[in-house]
Amino acid sequence: MDECFTLHVHHGGHFTWDPQAYVGGTVDIVENCDLDKWSKVEIESICRDFGYTAMDKLWFKMPGVNLEQAHFHEVVDDDAAMFMTDLVKGY
């Protein structure tokens, strides 16, 4: 059986850097994200589903950490996307 996880997508807001936080926007939930098929391309596809035609940068945070205390990581390639799957196990 494939392992799946739920993704909370914060979008439409903006980052502040001192302190580092993501402010505003909305949160959409994407269920049944498949660990075996996860990639940067898959993340970009999810963003297109929300109406974004171009993605400059994609970021993620450690699960279980609130937005005000999170250290954000940029998704630059499939390795970074796979690092996300390592983090979600157990959440």
Side-chain angles (χ1 to χ4, degrees):
M1 180 199 293
D2 295 331
E3 290 186 72
C4 294
F5 63 95
T6 300
L7 182 69
H8 294 229
V9 181
H10 297 253
H11 61 100
H14 66 277
F15 279 102
T16 61
W17 297 107
D18 191 18
Q20 183 181 22
Y22 189 79
V23 180
T26 60
V27 180
D28 284 298
I29 297 174
V30 180
E31 306 230 5
N32 298 316
C33 298
D34 190 336
L35 288 173
D36 292 331
K37 298 176 183 172
W38 197 243
S39 68
K40 185 175 185 233
V41 170
E42 181 69 18
I43 298 167
E44 290 169 342
S45 175
I46 290 168
C47 293
R48 281 191 294 280
D49 289 345
F50 292 128
Y52 296 95
T53 56
M55 277 79 33
D56 183 35
K57 293 184 179 185
L58 301 166
W59 301 85
F60 69 95
K61 71 171 189 71
M62 301 288 285
V65 178
N66 67 41
L67 288 176
E68 291 77 30
Q69 298 175 334
H71 176 73
F72 295 93
H73 303 273
E74 187 176 358
V75 179
V76 294
D77 56 21
D78 286 343
D79 288 337
M82 292 311 296
F83 179 59
M84 289 174 69
T85 67
D86 292 337
L87 297 176
V88 299
K89 291 177 183 173
Y91 283 89

